[in-house]
Amino acid sequence: MRSKKKELELTKRDENIPLDSAIYLSNLSFGYETGKLNVKNVSVDIKKGERVSIIGHNGSGKSTLSKLIDGILVQNEGDIYIFGVKMTDENALILRKDIGLVFQNPDSQFIGSTVRDDIAFGLENNQVPYKDMDAIIEDCARKVDMEEYLKSEPSNLSGGQKQRVAIAGAIARRPKILILDEAGAMLDPKGKKEIRAIIKERKQEDPDLTILTITHEIDDAYDSDRVLVLNHGEIILDDRPEVVFENDDLLRSIHLDIPFSHKLAKVLRKNGVDVPEVKNDEELLEVLCPSN
Amino acid sequence: MPIQLNQVYYTYNLNRPDSKRALEDISLTFDDHCFTALIGKTGSGKSTLIQHLNALLLPDSGRVQINEHVLDFPVQVKKNGKVNYRKMKKLHKKKLPQVKEIRKTVGIVFQFPEYQIFEETVLKDVSFGPKNFGCTEEEAIEKAKKALTMVHLDESFYERSPFELSGGEKRRVAIAGILAMEPDILVLDEPTVGLDVRGQREFFHLIQDLYDQGKSIILATHQMDVVLRTCSRVIVLDQGKVVLDSTPLKLFQDKEFLSSSSIEPPIVFSFAMSLIERGMPIRLENIRSTSTLAEEIARVKGGKQ
Ligand SMILES: Nc1ncnc2c1ncn2[C@@H]1O[C@H](COP(=O)(O)OP(=O)(O)O)[C@@H](O)[C@H]1O
Ligand SMILES: Nc1ncnc2c1ncn2[C@@H]1O[C@H](COP(=O)(O)OP(=O)(O)O)[C@@H](O)[C@H]1O
Ligand SMILES: [Mg+2]
Ligand SMILES: [Mg+2]
């Protein structure tokens, strides 16, 4: 085991990075094969406590970016700073302790032979004392409604149940940065809501928690402070959700959905019904059928 | 009635401490050329039921009939006075010559079907199934080409590596692999999870297309907009039981049922309901999508028709 002193040396902040920065990416590029970049020159500063969504078409590089931040992949160019500390081969494992990443495909995440072991494994990595483990595991499993399954083999669970376990494992470690890569994609709408509520609760308990949500769901994106739009590996938009979802033409051009009210208003105009620009469903309802 | 289930029960890990009942007393008939949705929350038994439709799983009791092929358990294998189900199933699977026939009749597309892709070119991958079912190389290629046409992948894809395709394209290759076996019934288990919006839209056009070409479609999904748009029948599972067997139109109006379940009508439908509540005389039965809703509103408001 590394000495405390060595660990401190490896995690020295870079003074040029703002103090309130959680994830600072500077000109980050990565390609799986030579001659092709799947993440292109990405620069962004995600602040402590910010809730950021990343949206983008299939293959735009969202999962790749999250793996770079978690130090699973190593960039070809550029730098990653976690809380101001530049990530290197030597300190990546230390920095990762602050990051909880829930993979898009939970199958690639399980290590333990039972759900309990699997959650315990992550805790062990973070040096949580053994005497506290059971209580933490049970509490997190209860939160995601998987308490009954602690003894089950992860491979026997359904896709949605696996995602719940993966989320339990991530929040059990109490990371300072939580990255959810389409973490609710396999859940039904109620399950998705439950997960949203769990994350909200964690955020309330720990307002400094930084959350990065990769999603195709407009609801998730609206729930965040800031939306990054990724297209062919590049960030092409970085703004508040209200602003991003105003931009119908752009969203459509990169294969993303636009809010229902915008869509209906557009089709109505095509059908010869005169409707003004509306912000949301309530406004459109009021325009079409004023309540008196 | 190509598929009939009669009082089907299924429990995972039967007779073990971690046993888990997944299906309970399921009796259902799927007609020729149906377009049926299978819905219910995660863990309600959709995937388990689906695996009974082509003998990937066999019922603990009850029977499944697929065309003339019957799957049930006439044999009782006992050990120490207890039925040894595992052994029984093993025996039974071996003795099921009809399984091949069944798999030709019912094709299942699983979640993330692209994980089942393994050959180095698209054409090889798609012709694998028919070859495995005893077709000659030429016949298999013929069927593969036909299947690829059905999923709108043209000749330029034949020699490409499936691994280099986009998510949506990979999924189409995987479906072509199933279609090449020429099943009459196509069963899809949450097939668009992980696809972006355009990928999803293309995918559902494809399924609609296959239905129009005469296939029966059974679709497990959480996407209620798709259920409303495409399905004529909807079956709701809860804790391994069928709790509703109805039409999308009836289901989405059944406030009592909806409030006791985790199902929410698609936004088009709830928006239409709100308009009706506010007194707009639109006809719910005409509404299946954003564009049909817009047409209804235009009709009432006197826009162009
Ligand atoms: N292991 C890999 N090897 C080669 N290419 C890959 C690999 N993983 C992803 N890619 C490619 O990198 C691009 C970005 O993929 P990904 O980050 O998974 O996108 P997203 O998560 O936005 O759908 C895609 O073109 C994909 O095909
Ligand atoms: N291989 C398995 N081993 C043990 N239990 C399983 C297995 N697959 C599914 N189950 C259990 O059976 C129930 C039904 O699961 P499933 O059919 O996958 O539901 P759905 O597809 O509706 O999400 C769930 O409680 C699930 O945990
Ligand atoms: Mg991804
Ligand atoms: Mg399932």
Side-chain angles (χ1 to χ4, degrees):
Chain A
M1 180 152 246
R2 240 180 234 114
S3 72
K4 212 58 216 163
K5 193 170 155 228
K6 176 89 177 152
E7 187 160 322
L8 277 175
E9 242 167 66
L10 284 170
T11 54
K12 245 176 94 107
R13 282 186 44 91
D14 184 318
E15 267 139 42
N16 297 319
I17 308 300
L19 272 170
D20 60 353
S21 168
I23 305 170
Y24 190 98
L25 308 178
S26 137
N27 301 314
L28 199 66
S29 291
F30 171 83
Y32 287 97
E33 296 154 36
T34 41
K36 221 184 129 193
L37 290 180
N38 304 99
V39 167
K40 283 180 216 156
N41 204 23
V42 165
S43 294
V44 65
D45 180 9
I46 293 169
K47 302 292 186 189
K48 259 180 226 173
E50 242 187 335
R51 296 170 307 161
V52 176
S53 293
I54 304 182
I55 61 175
H57 61 86
N58 283 129
S60 57
K62 305 181 297 294
S63 297
T64 306
L65 189 61
S66 64
K67 287 177 190 161
L68 287 166
I69 296 171
D70 197 33
I72 304 170
L73 296 173
V74 179
Q75 67 272 27
N76 304 104
E77 269 174 62
D79 292 308
I80 298 171
Y81 299 83
I82 304 295
F83 298 110
V85 181
K86 183 164 158 179
M87 192 181 279
T88 61
D89 291 348
E90 285 77 41
N91 70 11
L93 282 177
I94 305 172
L95 297 185
R96 280 182 76 182
K97 283 184 196 159
D98 284 338
I99 303 176
L101 169 60
V102 180
F103 283 98
Q104 177 164 14
N105 174 9
D107 283 330
S108 51
Q109 185 143 27
F110 293 118
I111 299 165
S113 58
T114 66
V115 168
R116 181 184 288 276
D117 289 351
D118 197 80
I119 301 177
F121 184 83
L123 293 175
E124 245 168 65
N125 265 355
N126 275 30
Q127 281 123 34
V128 171
Y130 280 97
K131 64 175 174 43
D132 300 339
M133 276 193 190
D134 279 340
I136 296 175
I137 293 170
E138 276 150 34
D139 181 49
C140 290
R142 189 175 323 114
K143 282 209 172 96
V144 298
D145 208 9
M146 287 297 290
E147 212 182 0
E148 279 175 54
Y149 294 87
L150 282 170
K151 288 195 197 117
S152 305
E153 266 178 57
S155 60
N156 282 353
L157 301 174
S158 74
Q161 289 171 327
K162 284 177 191 167
Q163 288 197 316
R164 286 174 186 268
V165 174
I167 290 165
I171 59 176
R173 293 170 43 212
R174 304 207 148 244
K176 295 186 185 133
I177 297 171
L178 190 60
I179 307 179
L180 304 159
D181 188 355
E182 299 190 37
M186 295 178 203
L187 296 173
D188 50 74
K190 180 152 167 268
K192 283 183 181 149
K193 268 192 198 153
E194 284 167 17
I195 297 301
R196 257 176 228 142
I198 293 163
I199 305 296
K200 255 195 189 140
E201 192 188 308
R202 276 293 298 125
K203 176 76 181 156
Q204 264 158 12
E205 287 165 12
D206 175 9
D208 275 344
L209 177 68
T210 307
I211 306 174
L212 211 60
T213 310
I214 295 171
T215 183
H216 287 301
E217 314 257 331
I218 292 189
D219 285 353
D220 284 329
Y222 261 114
D223 242 3
S224 46
D225 306 312
R226 184 172 163 197
V227 179
L228 306 180
V229 183
L230 217 57
N231 189 36
H232 296 294
E234 285 176 285
I235 293 183
I236 56 164
L237 204 62
D238 174 355
D239 218 319
R240 285 178 299 118
E242 303 84 66
V243 180
V244 170
F245 290 108
E246 273 299 291
N247 213 330
D248 290 350
D249 293 335
L250 176 98
L251 292 174
R252 220 191 283 267
S253 73
I254 55 171
H255 310 167
L256 297 176
D257 215 359
I258 62 173
F260 171 74
S261 55
H262 297 196
K263 212 179 337 184
L264 182 58
K266 236 172 223 157
V267 190
L268 279 170
R269 281 177 218 126
K270 264 194 210 148
N271 279 275
V273 180
D274 196 24
V275 276
E277 295 285 334
V278 289
K279 283 217 161 52
N280 52 38
D281 299 353
E282 286 71 40
E283 265 189 43
L284 184 58
L285 209 51
E286 209 39 51
V287 166
L288 290 172
C289 229
S291 59
N292 14 24
Chain B
M1 27 143 232
I3 301 185
Q4 198 165 25
L5 286 83
N6 235 313
Q7 296 177 308
V8 167
Y9 283 75
Y10 186 84
T11 300
Y12 286 99
N13 305 331
L14 203 67
N15 296 337
R16 291 217 325 237
D18 59 343
S19 77
K20 171 90 202 153
R21 172 170 288 179
L23 293 180
E24 193 172 333
D25 198 12
I26 303 272
S27 296
L28 283 172
T29 302
F30 295 96
D31 293 320
D32 262 330
H33 204 223
C34 64
F35 203 139
T36 301
L38 208 53
I39 68 176
K41 57 174 176 264
T42 319
S44 58
K46 302 181 295 296
S47 298
T48 308
L49 176 59
I50 281 175
Q51 290 173 73
H52 279 77
L53 302 181
N54 81 350
L56 282 169
L57 293 177
L58 299 171
D60 298 331
S61 71
R63 75 206 280 271
V64 177
Q65 185 170 354
I66 296 154
N67 288 337
E68 67 276 24
H69 309 294
V70 177
L71 303 167
D72 61 359
F73 276 107
V75 221
Q76 301 265 307
V77 182
K78 290 204 179 179
K79 190 182 161 192
N80 312 329
K82 266 194 193 159
V83 180
N84 184 340
Y85 284 94
R86 288 228 229 170
K87 193 165 173 197
M88 181 163 105
K89 281 192 183 171
K90 260 198 198 132
L91 272 177
H92 211 87
K93 251 185 194 157
K94 268 194 205 143
K95 282 197 208 146
L96 281 173
Q98 68 268 51
V99 163
K100 262 195 174 177
E101 279 307 310
I102 289 171
R103 303 245 162 104
K104 274 194 238 171
T105 310
V106 183
I108 301 190
V109 177
F110 288 101
Q111 239 176 47
F112 296 113
E114 54 271 33
Y115 292 171
Q116 294 157 27
I117 292 176
F118 50 89
E119 294 279 356
E120 73 236 43
T121 72
V122 167
L123 198 58
K124 271 193 195 157
D125 198 85
V126 177
S127 55
F128 178 84
K131 243 186 283 176
N132 197 29
F133 280 134
C135 286
T136 64
E137 181 84 25
E138 270 157 36
E139 282 167 345
I141 299 264
E142 186 73 17
K143 287 187 177 172
K145 287 184 177 170
K146 205 172 132 203
L148 284 164
T149 311
M150 286 169 99
V151 301
H152 309 296
L153 291 175
D154 63 26
E155 277 172 44
S156 68
F157 283 91
Y158 290 177
E159 295 307 318
R160 284 177 66 182
S161 159
F163 301 101
E164 287 166 5
L165 304 177
S166 76
E169 288 164 351
K170 272 188 209 161
R171 227 163 261 203
R172 279 192 266 165
V173 171
I175 293 179
I178 303 286
L179 289 174
M181 294 182 265
E182 302 179 331
D184 299 324
I185 303 159
L186 199 58
V187 185
L188 304 120
D189 194 356
E190 299 185 36
T192 58
V193 168
L195 288 188
D196 58 24
V197 174
R198 173 160 123 170
Q200 292 187 11
R201 202 177 307 134
E202 285 175 358
F203 191 88
F204 285 118
H205 278 161
L206 172 66
I207 296 177
Q208 181 73 50
D209 221 34
L210 293 170
Y211 172 77
D212 294 340
Q213 292 174 41
K215 305 274 179 209
S216 296
I217 310 280
I218 300 171
L219 173 70
T221 183
H222 294 306
Q223 285 174 281
M224 295 305 132
D225 51 335
V226 171
V227 172
L228 177 66
R229 185 190 294 249
T230 56
C231 299
S232 50
R233 176 184 177 196
V234 56
I235 294 166
V236 186
L237 290 183
D238 188 24
Q239 296 185 26
K241 283 184 257 187
V242 174
V243 290
L244 194 86
D245 186 346
S246 182
T247 66
L249 187 64
K250 281 195 194 129
L251 164 66
F252 295 139
Q253 288 180 86
D254 191 340
K255 287 207 169 124
E256 201 176 320
F257 181 82
L258 292 174
S259 70
S260 70
S261 75
S262 63
I263 301 160
E264 281 176 16
I267 185 160
V268 195
F269 201 87
S270 15
F271 194 87
M273 295 274 271
S274 305
L275 287 173
I276 290 171
E277 270 159 32
R278 285 171 177 234
M280 189 184 273
I282 50 174
R283 289 182 298 231
L284 265 184
E285 64 273 21
N286 291 347
I287 294 159
R288 308 203 80 165
S289 62
T290 310
S291 49
T292 47
L293 172 59
E295 280 164 26
E296 263 303 289
I297 296 173
R299 187 183 58 77
V300 171
K301 290 232 165 210
K304 75 174 181 232
Q305 307 249 329

mmCIF file with all atom_site columns, all heavy atoms in Angstrom, chain A residues 166-177:
data_model
loop_
_atom_site.group_PDB
_atom_site.id
_atom_site.type_symbol
_atom_site.label_atom_id
_atom_site.label_alt_id
_atom_site.label_comp_id
_atom_site.label_asym_id
_atom_site.label_entity_id
_atom_site.label_seq_id
_atom_site.pdbx_PDB_ins_code
_atom_site.Cartn_x
_atom_site.Cartn_y
_atom_site.Cartn_z
_atom_site.occupancy
_atom_site.B_iso_or_equiv
_atom_site.pdbx_formal_charge
_atom_site.auth_seq_id
_atom_site.auth_comp_id
_atom_site.auth_asym_id
_atom_site.auth_atom_id
_atom_site.pdbx_PDB_model_num
ATOM 1  N N   . ALA A 1 166 ? -26.409 -1.860 -10.189 1.00 0.00 ? 166 ALA A N   1
ATOM 2  C CA  . ALA A 1 166 ? -25.249 -1.048 -10.550 1.00 0.00 ? 166 ALA A CA  1
ATOM 3  C C   . ALA A 1 166 ? -25.351 0.338  -9.905  1.00 0.00 ? 166 ALA A C   1
ATOM 4  O O   . ALA A 1 166 ? -24.360 0.894  -9.431  1.00 0.00 ? 166 ALA A O   1
ATOM 5  C CB  . ALA A 1 166 ? -25.151 -0.926 -12.064 1.00 0.00 ? 166 ALA A CB  1
ATOM 6  N N   . ILE A 1 167 ? -26.572 0.881  -9.870  1.00 0.00 ? 167 ILE A N   1
ATOM 7  C CA  . ILE A 1 167 ? -26.763 2.194  -9.247  1.00 0.00 ? 167 ILE A CA  1
ATOM 8  C C   . ILE A 1 167 ? -26.530 2.104  -7.742  1.00 0.00 ? 167 ILE A C   1
ATOM 9  O O   . ILE A 1 167 ? -25.858 2.957  -7.149  1.00 0.00 ? 167 ILE A O   1
ATOM 10 C CB  . ILE A 1 167 ? -28.168 2.747  -9.580  1.00 0.00 ? 167 ILE A CB  1
ATOM 11 C CG1 . ILE A 1 167 ? -28.211 3.108  -11.070 1.00 0.00 ? 167 ILE A CG1 1
ATOM 12 C CG2 . ILE A 1 167 ? -28.500 3.969  -8.719  1.00 0.00 ? 167 ILE A CG2 1
ATOM 13 C CD1 . ILE A 1 167 ? -29.595 3.320  -11.621 1.00 0.00 ? 167 ILE A CD1 1
ATOM 14 N N   . ALA A 1 168 ? -27.054 1.032  -7.135  1.00 0.00 ? 168 ALA A N   1
ATOM 15 C CA  . ALA A 1 168 ? -26.826 0.838  -5.692  1.00 0.00 ? 168 ALA A CA  1
ATOM 16 C C   . ALA A 1 168 ? -25.327 0.786  -5.409  1.00 0.00 ? 168 ALA A C   1
ATOM 17 O O   . ALA A 1 168 ? -24.831 1.413  -4.470  1.00 0.00 ? 168 ALA A O   1
ATOM 18 C CB  . ALA A 1 168 ? -27.510 -0.441 -5.220  1.00 0.00 ? 168 ALA A CB  1
ATOM 19 N N   . GLY A 1 169 ? -24.612 0.041  -6.243  1.00 0.00 ? 169 GLY A N   1
ATOM 20 C CA  . GLY A 1 169 ? -23.171 -0.093 -6.053  1.00 0.00 ? 169 GLY A CA  1
ATOM 21 C C   . GLY A 1 169 ? -22.461 1.245  -6.144  1.00 0.00 ? 169 GLY A C   1
ATOM 22 O O   . GLY A 1 169 ? -21.550 1.540  -5.373  1.00 0.00 ? 169 GLY A O   1
ATOM 23 N N   . ALA A 1 170 ? -22.919 2.067  -7.083  1.00 0.00 ? 170 ALA A N   1
ATOM 24 C CA  . ALA A 1 170 ? -22.268 3.363  -7.268  1.00 0.00 ? 170 ALA A CA  1
ATOM 25 C C   . ALA A 1 170 ? -22.564 4.308  -6.109  1.00 0.00 ? 170 ALA A C   1
ATOM 26 O O   . ALA A 1 170 ? -21.665 4.964  -5.595  1.00 0.00 ? 170 ALA A O   1
ATOM 27 C CB  . ALA A 1 170 ? -22.705 3.990  -8.590  1.00 0.00 ? 170 ALA A CB  1
ATOM 28 N N   . ILE A 1 171 ? -23.830 4.366  -5.659  1.00 0.00 ? 171 ILE A N   1
ATOM 29 C CA  . ILE A 1 171 ? -24.116 5.325  -4.586  1.00 0.00 ? 171 ILE A CA  1
ATOM 30 C C   . ILE A 1 171 ? -23.589 4.837  -3.239  1.00 0.00 ? 171 ILE A C   1
ATOM 31 O O   . ILE A 1 171 ? -23.267 5.635  -2.373  1.00 0.00 ? 171 ILE A O   1
ATOM 32 C CB  . ILE A 1 171 ? -25.614 5.735  -4.491  1.00 0.00 ? 171 ILE A CB  1
ATOM 33 C CG1 . ILE A 1 171 ? -26.514 4.527  -4.243  1.00 0.00 ? 171 ILE A CG1 1
ATOM 34 C CG2 . ILE A 1 171 ? -26.060 6.491  -5.719  1.00 0.00 ? 171 ILE A CG2 1
ATOM 35 C CD1 . ILE A 1 171 ? -27.973 4.928  -4.052  1.00 0.00 ? 171 ILE A CD1 1
ATOM 36 N N   . ALA A 1 172 ? -23.444 3.513  -3.088  1.00 0.00 ? 172 ALA A N   1
ATOM 37 C CA  . ALA A 1 172 ? -22.926 2.979  -1.824  1.00 0.00 ? 172 ALA A CA  1
ATOM 38 C C   . ALA A 1 172 ? -21.539 3.538  -1.531  1.00 0.00 ? 172 ALA A C   1
ATOM 39 O O   . ALA A 1 172 ? -21.180 3.777  -0.379  1.00 0.00 ? 172 ALA A O   1
ATOM 40 C CB  . ALA A 1 172 ? -22.876 1.452  -1.878  1.00 0.00 ? 172 ALA A CB  1
ATOM 41 N N   . ARG A 1 173 ? -20.765 3.751  -2.575  1.00 0.00 ? 173 ARG A N   1
ATOM 42 C CA  . ARG A 1 173 ? -19.399 4.224  -2.392  1.00 0.00 ? 173 ARG A CA  1
ATOM 43 C C   . ARG A 1 173 ? -19.334 5.711  -2.066  1.00 0.00 ? 173 ARG A C   1
ATOM 44 O O   . ARG A 1 173 ? -18.260 6.247  -1.832  1.00 0.00 ? 173 ARG A O   1
ATOM 45 C CB  . ARG A 1 173 ? -18.580 3.932  -3.655  1.00 0.00 ? 173 ARG A CB  1
ATOM 46 C CG  . ARG A 1 173 ? -18.376 2.449  -3.885  1.00 0.00 ? 173 ARG A CG  1
ATOM 47 C CD  . ARG A 1 173 ? -17.791 2.215  -5.270  1.00 0.00 ? 173 ARG A CD  1
ATOM 48 N NE  . ARG A 1 173 ? -16.733 3.173  -5.559  1.00 0.00 ? 173 ARG A NE  1
ATOM 49 C CZ  . ARG A 1 173 ? -16.439 3.653  -6.755  1.00 0.00 ? 173 ARG A CZ  1
ATOM 50 N NH1 . ARG A 1 173 ? -17.140 3.274  -7.791  1.00 0.00 ? 173 ARG A NH1 1
ATOM 51 N NH2 . ARG A 1 173 ? -15.462 4.503  -6.914  1.00 0.00 ? 173 ARG A NH2 1
ATOM 52 N N   . ARG A 1 174 ? -20.488 6.379  -2.090  1.00 0.00 ? 174 ARG A N   1
ATOM 53 C CA  . ARG A 1 174 ? -20.554 7.815  -1.802  1.00 0.00 ? 174 ARG A CA  1
ATOM 54 C C   . ARG A 1 174 ? -19.517 8.607  -2.597  1.00 0.00 ? 174 ARG A C   1
ATOM 55 O O   . ARG A 1 174 ? -18.691 9.337  -2.031  1.00 0.00 ? 174 ARG A O   1
ATOM 56 C CB  . ARG A 1 174 ? -20.381 8.083  -0.313  1.00 0.00 ? 174 ARG A CB  1
ATOM 57 C CG  . ARG A 1 174 ? -21.394 7.345  0.530   1.00 0.00 ? 174 ARG A CG  1
ATOM 58 C CD  . ARG A 1 174 ? -21.661 8.067  1.829   1.00 0.00 ? 174 ARG A CD  1
ATOM 59 N NE  . ARG A 1 174 ? -23.049 7.832  2.217   1.00 0.00 ? 174 ARG A NE  1
ATOM 60 C CZ  . ARG A 1 174 ? -23.978 8.770  2.311   1.00 0.00 ? 174 ARG A CZ  1
ATOM 61 N NH1 . ARG A 1 174 ? -23.693 10.010 2.039   1.00 0.00 ? 174 ARG A NH1 1
ATOM 62 N NH2 . ARG A 1 174 ? -25.201 8.471  2.678   1.00 0.00 ? 174 ARG A NH2 1
ATOM 63 N N   . PRO A 1 175 ? -19.542 8.505  -3.888  1.00 0.00 ? 175 PRO A N   1
ATOM 64 C CA  . PRO A 1 175 ? -18.574 9.242  -4.701  1.00 0.00 ? 175 PRO A CA  1
ATOM 65 C C   . PRO A 1 175 ? -18.908 10.729 -4.704  1.00 0.00 ? 175 PRO A C   1
ATOM 66 O O   . PRO A 1 175 ? -20.044 11.110 -4.431  1.00 0.00 ? 175 PRO A O   1
ATOM 67 C CB  . PRO A 1 175 ? -18.781 8.657  -6.096  1.00 0.00 ? 175 PRO A CB  1
ATOM 68 C CG  . PRO A 1 175 ? -20.206 8.241  -6.119  1.00 0.00 ? 175 PRO A CG  1
ATOM 69 C CD  . PRO A 1 175 ? -20.538 7.801  -4.720  1.00 0.00 ? 175 PRO A CD  1
ATOM 70 N N   . LYS A 1 176 ? -17.932 11.559 -5.008  1.00 0.00 ? 176 LYS A N   1
ATOM 71 C CA  . LYS A 1 176 ? -18.188 13.001 -5.118  1.00 0.00 ? 176 LYS A CA  1
ATOM 72 C C   . LYS A 1 176 ? -18.675 13.352 -6.516  1.00 0.00 ? 176 LYS A C   1
ATOM 73 O O   . LYS A 1 176 ? -19.251 14.400 -6.738  1.00 0.00 ? 176 LYS A O   1
ATOM 74 C CB  . LYS A 1 176 ? -16.902 13.781 -4.816  1.00 0.00 ? 176 LYS A CB  1
ATOM 75 C CG  . LYS A 1 176 ? -16.450 13.597 -3.378  1.00 0.00 ? 176 LYS A CG  1
ATOM 76 C CD  . LYS A 1 176 ? -15.263 14.510 -3.084  1.00 0.00 ? 176 LYS A CD  1
ATOM 77 C CE  . LYS A 1 176 ? -14.723 14.238 -1.693  1.00 0.00 ? 176 LYS A CE  1
ATOM 78 N NZ  . LYS A 1 176 ? -13.251 14.113 -1.716  1.00 0.00 ? 176 LYS A NZ  1
ATOM 79 N N   . ILE A 1 177 ? -18.369 12.438 -7.465  1.00 0.00 ? 177 ILE A N   1
ATOM 80 C CA  . ILE A 1 177 ? -18.841 12.621 -8.834  1.00 0.00 ? 177 ILE A CA  1
ATOM 81 C C   . ILE A 1 177 ? -19.577 11.351 -9.235  1.00 0.00 ? 177 ILE A C   1
ATOM 82 O O   . ILE A 1 177 ? -19.042 10.253 -9.124  1.00 0.00 ? 177 ILE A O   1
ATOM 83 C CB  . ILE A 1 177 ? -17.652 12.841 -9.802  1.00 0.00 ? 177 ILE A CB  1
ATOM 84 C CG1 . ILE A 1 177 ? -16.902 14.125 -9.452  1.00 0.00 ? 177 ILE A CG1 1
ATOM 85 C CG2 . ILE A 1 177 ? -18.135 12.869 -11.249 1.00 0.00 ? 177 ILE A CG2 1
ATOM 86 C CD1 . ILE A 1 177 ? -15.590 14.303 -10.223 1.00 0.00 ? 177 ILE A CD1 1
#
